[in-house]
Amino acid sequence: DAGITQSPRHKVTETGTPVTLRCHQTENHRYMYWYRQDPGHGLRLIHYSYGVKDTDKGEVSDGYSVSRSKTEDFLLTLESATSSQTSVYFCAFRPQEDTEAFFGQGTRLTVV
Amino acid sequence: RKEVEQDPGPFNVPEGATVAFNCTYSNSASQSFFWYRQDCRKEPKLLMSVYSSGNEDGRFTAQLNRASQYISLLIRDSKLSDSATYLCVVNTGGFKTIFGAGTRLFVKA
């Protein structure tokens, strides 16, 4: 168990609604990430965080925002969900800047 | 050109076979390298880190060629349980980690 959990694990939502995904880690790591995974694209970085209230954009950040008010929680919000945001979302942490990443179990999001 | 490229496969091999995956990366300043394994509908999990001197873990051998900017993964004596998608991962410095799209492996009895 890598000490990282995501909720919800599955969600179906309607186009235009806001959606928030939660990532919780128990090991006090500084670096946290949100990725989405789609067939043919692999994992693509949405946003990342390097500390409480310190976040930055990844390569596919449009339509997404994040917040990190506590070390252990990293929230991903889809401001107005679209069908193109149907995907599997993974949260991850890295113990140090240049080390391997450890992933949560993923959230399967469907936007209808 | 993608920053990290892998042959998507699928590779279909019989049990006991040796199979090799290659991965190329474009950023010559990349600092650390990994292979991950991902089972269907599961999260990626670290298989092994890749060191400049090459490293081995049981049936798995990883190698790095900085001059040609590629890393490889060799699996010997394939097992049915090795069937999965293998992801090449490159840290390019700072917070940036790039994942390849993955190579699918099917090991058949």
Side-chain angles (χ1 to χ4, degrees):
Chain A
D1 184 3
I4 182 168
T5 56
Q6 294 182 228
S7 59
R9 296 289 314 281
H10 301 271
K11 186 170 182 66
V12 180
T13 193
E14 293 186 350
T15 298
T17 60
V19 176
T20 296
L21 309 183
R22 181 178 183 245
C23 178
H24 178 79
Q25 56 134 333
T26 59
E27 300 184 19
N28 207 35
H29 293 298
R30 180 179 172 192
Y31 304 103
M32 297 186 75
Y33 303 80
W34 275 107
Y35 292 90
R36 61 178 288 174
Q37 187 174 36
D38 305 288
H41 289 280
L43 283 150
R44 292 181 291 174
L45 181 64
I46 305 171
H47 282 278
Y48 61 92
S49 171
Y50 44 96
V52 173
K53 297 188 179 178
D54 290 324
T55 65
D56 208 343
K57 297 178 179 180
E59 62 179 301
V60 290
S61 60
D62 287 348
Y64 302 95
S65 62
V66 290
S67 66
R68 193 161 177 208
S69 58
K70 298 185 291 184
T71 299
E72 59 265 36
D73 290 325
F74 192 30
L75 304 181
L76 176 70
T77 297
L78 287 67
E79 294 141 8
S80 177
T82 67
S83 58
S84 64
Q85 294 176 310
T86 292
S87 187
V88 180
Y89 291 85
F90 287 103
C91 176
F93 70 78
R94 280 160 68 181
Q96 301 292 335
E97 189 173 312
D98 203 34
T99 59
E100 66 270 24
F102 296 88
F103 287 85
Q105 293 173 299
T107 296
R108 193 167 296 272
L109 177 68
T110 301
V111 183
V112 298
Chain B
R1 181 187 173 192
K2 292 182 179 179
E3 292 187 76
V4 175
E5 294 201 65
Q6 297 182 247
D7 183 340
F11 284 58
N12 294 288
V13 302
E15 274 188 294
T18 295
V19 61
F21 305 136
N22 287 326
C23 167
T24 58
Y25 60 94
S26 61
N27 188 336
S28 60
S30 297
Q31 298 176 358
S32 55
F33 309 86
F34 309 92
W35 283 102
Y36 279 69
R37 171 193 170 125
Q38 186 173 24
D39 294 299
C40 188
R41 303 176 78 86
K42 300 286 189 180
E43 73 273 24
K45 292 186 177 179
L46 179 68
L47 178 66
M48 59 196 305
S49 302
V50 187
Y51 304 120
S52 297
S53 55
N55 49 302
E56 187 174 308
D57 183 3
R59 298 181 293 107
F60 298 85
T61 300
Q63 294 200 315
L64 166 64
N65 185 319
R66 284 191 183 272
S68 300
Q69 295 182 204
Y70 78 84
I71 67 174
S72 63
L73 177 67
L74 183 75
I75 305 175
R76 292 181 299 276
D77 189 22
S78 299
K79 313 292 185 189
L80 294 175
S81 58
D82 293 334
S83 296
T85 297
Y86 291 84
L87 307 177
C88 168
V89 182
V90 176
N91 283 353
T92 58
F95 315 109
K96 196 171 182 185
T97 299
I98 309 297
F99 286 78
T103 299
R104 296 192 71 185
L105 172 66
F106 294 99
V107 181
K108 299 179 178 180

